[in-house]
Amino acid sequence: MGSFSIGHWIIVLLIVVLIFGTKRLRNMGGDLGSALRDFKKGLSGDEANPQLKADPPVGEKAQSETKRENAE
């Protein structure tokens, strides 16, 4: 009486799928996985911020190049 059998878990799983739907569960699983990955990366001491190394968006890059050309 204290533990659930496999039948109980199947019923619970079916109810969860009916309530949330498979697409939403997949999205939640992906979000949870990326959150855990980021958490592990933070614990490992990898402090490199990928956003700082990224190229600026095309519009900003074009504007900065135009400013440089006008300055010359």
Side-chain angles (χ1 to χ4, degrees):
M1 189 162 206
S3 65
F4 290 106
S5 68
I6 190 75
H8 290 110
W9 287 113
I10 291 173
I11 292 171
V12 169
L13 180 64
L14 287 174
I15 291 172
V16 168
V17 169
L18 286 174
I19 291 173
F20 293 110
T22 56
K23 185 175 181 180
R24 195 177 213 183
L25 288 175
R26 219 174 332 175
N27 290 342
M28 284 192 289
D31 291 342
L32 181 62
S34 65
L36 287 174
R37 198 173 315 117
D38 291 342
F39 180 73
K40 286 182 183 179
K41 193 182 288 186
L43 287 179
S44 70
D46 185 17
E47 307 250 345
N49 191 350
Q51 293 177 347
L52 295 177
K53 296 179 181 179
D55 289 333
V58 175
E60 290 179 20
K61 189 174 184 179
Q63 288 176 356
S64 64
E65 289 175 4
T66 305
K67 287 179 185 177
R68 266 190 258 142
E69 290 173 0
N70 290 338
E72 295 174 354

